[in-house]
Amino acid sequence: MPQVRKLPVVILISGSGSNLQAFIDACRDPGYPVTIRAVISNRADAYGLTRAREAGIDTMVVDHREHDSRNAFDRVLMQHIDRYHPELVILAGFMRILTDEFVEHYAGRMLNIHPSLLPDYTGLHTHRRVLEDGRDEHGASVHFVTAELDGGPVVLQARVPVKPGDTPERLATRVLEKEHIIYPLVVRWFAEGRLKLRNGKVMLDGRTLEQPCQLEDGNRTSCDH
């Protein structure tokens, strides 16, 4: 079997790292075309750092509280990321608003996952807000990162029904299950050269996505080119 080229990535986290774990698990498959060079957190107590260490991945803490401005923190963070020469930066629960300089530095090669069906419910507390609004559907979106908070072009979404009696915690659990499917899938597309950001548009297999791809039953995807 020919050896699969592995795309080098750096993953940024702030918390428990459940999406990080999805990537660690995916990388156990020799055919998954990604290698995690490092996991970096702005919080020393992030459990995701333990997950990374147990998987033998380099870890680093860059504490935002030790810097007097967002610009200063982001510049130091960029220096540490670039030491690993990643071709993609993955935000996996990284709870920091990034500066324009940082976003521009990784333009077209930084992805994020957000727990809502973007453009609805940007920002925090999405599960609670969906329930308060009486919505019957919720989900998650993987998108390229731009200077607009949670506003970059969306690649793939997964939808979950809102059930009677749902709490934010129950809804969050079901959304997370979908996140763990769609995020490694989108990164696979990027690693295989199928996915690009060009002139602010998502390109998949050489064609512009008119709407985000959708995860269907059986973990199939449908895409409207």
Side-chain angles (χ1 to χ4, degrees):
M1 178 182 295
Q3 189 169 5
V4 175
R5 180 189 180 270
K6 304 283 190 175
L7 183 87
V9 306
V10 167
I11 300 180
L12 306 185
I13 64 168
S14 294
S16 70
S18 72
N19 272 302
L20 165 64
Q21 188 64 54
F23 283 108
I24 291 172
D25 293 343
C27 288
R28 293 195 174 104
D29 176 357
Y32 189 67
V34 168
T35 182
I36 305 170
R37 291 266 176 91
V39 172
I40 302 177
S41 177
N42 64 309
R43 298 181 59 92
D45 61 351
Y47 181 67
L49 293 171
T50 299
R51 297 179 190 267
R53 291 178 190 126
E54 289 178 350
I57 299 167
D58 278 2
T59 63
M60 179 175 297
V61 175
V62 184
D63 192 332
H64 60 278
R65 295 169 297 184
E66 296 177 357
H67 303 274
D68 57 11
S69 69
R70 283 201 296 134
N71 282 327
F73 168 73
D74 279 9
R75 284 174 186 148
V76 171
L77 181 58
M78 281 191 289
Q79 290 172 2
H80 288 299
I81 292 171
D82 289 349
R83 285 176 44 212
Y84 292 96
H85 305 289
E87 295 179 32
L88 181 69
V89 175
I90 297 171
L91 306 183
F94 187 62
M95 305 303 290
R96 296 287 301 168
I97 295 175
L98 300 168
T99 59
D100 290 357
E101 178 184 2
F102 188 96
V103 171
E104 180 61 30
H105 185 67
Y106 299 107
R109 52 192 184 105
M110 181 159 57
L111 291 168
N112 183 45
I113 193 159
H114 183 73
S116 80
L117 297 172
L118 294 172
D120 294 343
Y121 300 102
T122 61
L124 301 175
H125 310 302
T126 61
H127 313 301
R128 174 177 57 77
R129 291 156 60 198
V130 163
L131 292 173
E132 288 174 349
D133 288 348
R135 302 291 286 268
D136 60 5
E137 191 175 54
H138 191 30
S141 306
V142 180
H143 65 96
F144 280 99
V145 178
T146 63
E148 180 184 358
L149 178 65
D150 300 326
V154 178
V155 180
L156 177 62
Q157 294 179 319
R159 298 170 182 270
V160 300
V162 177
K163 297 181 179 180
D166 258 341
T167 63
E169 293 75 22
R170 290 176 187 163
L171 192 52
T173 297
R174 296 206 308 281
V175 170
L176 263 179
E177 290 174 356
K178 298 295 187 180
E179 290 184 25
H180 299 163
I181 296 168
I182 63 175
Y183 211 0
L185 179 56
V186 169
V187 171
R188 173 187 283 276
W189 291 348
F190 188 93
E192 291 173 344
R194 298 176 57 195
L195 175 67
K196 292 179 171 57
L197 185 66
R198 186 173 297 159
N199 298 323
K201 300 285 189 179
V202 176
M203 304 288 295
L204 184 64
D205 297 329
R207 300 167 65 188
T208 301
L209 282 187
E210 301 299 336
Q211 299 290 335
C213 295
Q214 301 293 322
L215 186 73
E216 307 287 355
D217 292 340
N219 296 340
R220 295 176 296 105
T221 57
S222 62
C223 299
D224 183 9
H225 290 83

